[in-house]
Amino acid sequence: MALYSDKVMEHFLQPRNVGVIEDADGVGEVGNAKCGDIMKMYLKIDDDIITDVKFETFGCASAIASSSMATELIKGQRVEDAMQLTNKAVAEALDGLPPHKLHCSVLAEEAIQSALEDYNRKKKNA
Ligand code: FES
């Protein structure tokens, strides 16, 4: 069996939503100390709906595919729904990740959580 599913390969080779949102409403950056990979998420939010999302990932193929899939999953969602996104949902949407690569999808979950927390913090202080 191939190590990676077709979906992982597709999102790795043609990642969706790569880039930066200059005037983002929430930004989150997380890293994994063990592998050294870093993921940064930018969210544009209107009326508690995620209208745009972009990411920059310096990492492995699974991290890039996970970021890409995670952005697709939360785009158009309400903030409270996006908060519920789990790495399991990201991995499932990618038709699975090898067990030693599951932490890459955890990074995507954490990056989105961190960007949403940043948004909530800014909203509170506005
Ligand atoms: Fe660490 Fe993929 S190997 S995020």
Side-chain angles (χ1 to χ4, degrees):
M1 196 186 102
L3 184 58
Y4 293 117
S5 70
D6 289 347
K7 268 215 183 128
V8 172
M9 287 311 293
E10 192 205 324
H11 277 263
F12 167 54
L13 294 172
Q14 290 176 314
R16 323 313 194 245
N17 307 311
V18 176
V20 174
I21 300 176
E22 295 295 348
D23 58 343
D25 299 303
V27 180
E29 184 174 334
V30 294
N32 181 296
K34 269 200 195 141
C35 64
D37 290 358
I38 297 171
M39 205 179 275
K40 197 163 180 180
M41 287 277 169
Y42 302 84
L43 302 174
K44 195 79 198 143
I45 299 172
D46 275 320
D47 230 358
D48 277 349
I49 306 262
I50 299 168
T51 55
D52 200 9
V53 42
K54 296 242 185 290
F55 77 89
E56 293 177 302
T57 291
F58 305 96
C60 72
S62 302
I64 291 168
S66 295
S67 326
S68 170
M69 181 53 88
T71 59
E72 291 250 283
L73 290 174
I74 63 160
K75 208 178 204 173
Q77 275 197 344
R78 302 188 60 78
V79 167
E80 60 192 68
D81 296 329
M83 287 292 248
Q84 311 297 321
L85 182 78
T86 61
N87 82 294
K88 198 165 167 262
V90 174
E92 276 173 14
L94 287 168
D95 292 338
L97 284 169
H100 67 290
K101 287 285 174 181
L102 275 173
H103 79 270
C104 316
S105 60
V106 172
L107 214 53
E109 174 190 322
E110 289 176 350
I112 285 173
Q113 296 285 336
S114 161
L116 288 168
E117 279 162 20
D118 182 47
Y119 165 72
N120 283 331
R121 219 176 5 246
K122 284 180 179 149
K123 204 170 105 172
K124 236 186 246 164
N125 296 332

